[in-house]
Amino acid sequence: MSRQMVRPGGRSARVQASVHTAVRELASEVGRDALTVPMIAQRAGVTPSTVYRRWGDLQELLSDVAVERLRPETAPGDHGALAADLKAWAEQFLDEMSSPAGRAYIRDALLGDPDGGNAGQCSAYAAEQIDVILTRASQRGEKVPDVETVIDHVVAPLMYRILFRPDGLGAAYAHRLVTAALDPTGR
């Protein structure tokens, strides 16, 4: 059963919250690789069959937890101009995603995601944050690219580098990507 089909609230929400909490606590206590469904179920106060029915297997559960952990907790900062807002956001995105925890969450989100729904949700988080920045800039009268342009020119290369070529990654690289996305002619 996919997460999207579960109705919010009630017992279902309580089960999800207790199981997610159990995963986070146990991962910090015994390490992610030592986790088992029975161990998580016992900590969460549910039966293993509840976990299997809801998530299918351990990897799908870890994926669900990872997606929740990758959800941004705050709106992007307002620094008064599009370039400054996007640079600050890209730098924060890079810091969070390239951290050891961020990389582990990315890995878990993708590994337990047979239908691509979790990857799509992670992408939607970034798109929503970028949309806030672009809308704000547009309301200030600035010329803005569309969300997909920023995804293609900033988020995609950052994610590729985080996953496959992390050496030398830093704020300067993120800033160069933003600058290029906002002025593709290089002027």
Side-chain angles (χ1 to χ4, degrees):
M1 177 186 295
S2 86
R3 247 178 13 276
Q4 291 77 15
M5 293 168 53
V6 176
R7 56 185 175 78
R11 182 178 186 282
S12 180
R14 287 192 303 276
V15 167
Q16 179 173 348
S18 65
V19 170
H20 277 220
T21 298
V23 168
R24 290 191 304 272
E25 289 174 355
L26 287 166
S28 70
E29 292 168 21
V30 302
R32 182 204 164 283
D33 293 338
L35 295 179
T36 65
V37 169
M39 177 192 303
I40 293 164
Q42 181 178 13
R43 174 68 62 96
V46 300
T47 64
S49 64
T50 298
V51 175
Y52 289 121
R53 196 169 40 252
R54 174 81 182 260
W55 285 280
D57 63 22
L58 178 61
Q59 194 58 62
E60 286 188 45
L61 169 57
L62 294 176
S63 181
D64 192 45
V65 171
V67 170
E68 193 58 36
R69 301 300 287 171
L70 290 169
R71 178 193 307 268
E73 294 178 6
T74 59
D78 186 346
H79 303 278
L82 175 58
D85 287 356
L86 269 180
K87 285 177 181 177
W89 180 84
E91 191 173 335
Q92 180 180 351
F93 180 85
L94 175 60
D95 286 347
E96 290 172 2
M97 296 296 172
S98 65
S99 71
R103 285 177 206 259
Y105 290 137
I106 293 166
R107 183 189 67 225
D108 282 343
L110 298 177
L111 283 176
D113 189 25
D115 64 0
N118 288 342
Q121 185 58 59
C122 292
S123 176
Y125 293 153
E128 289 164 11
Q129 294 259 300
I130 292 164
D131 187 55
V132 167
I133 292 168
L134 298 179
T135 299
R136 214 170 26 215
S138 181
Q139 290 169 347
R140 290 190 296 252
E142 294 181 73
K143 182 176 181 257
V144 300
D146 64 21
V147 170
E148 290 303 314
T149 296
V150 178
I151 295 281
D152 289 346
H153 294 270
V154 179
V155 178
L158 283 176
M159 286 301 293
Y160 182 85
R161 292 291 302 264
I162 288 166
L163 293 172
F164 302 114
R165 299 191 62 168
D167 291 347
L169 257 183
Y173 177 70
H175 294 182
R176 283 194 310 274
L177 292 174
V178 169
T179 298
L182 296 180
D183 186 12
T185 62
R187 284 181 270 146

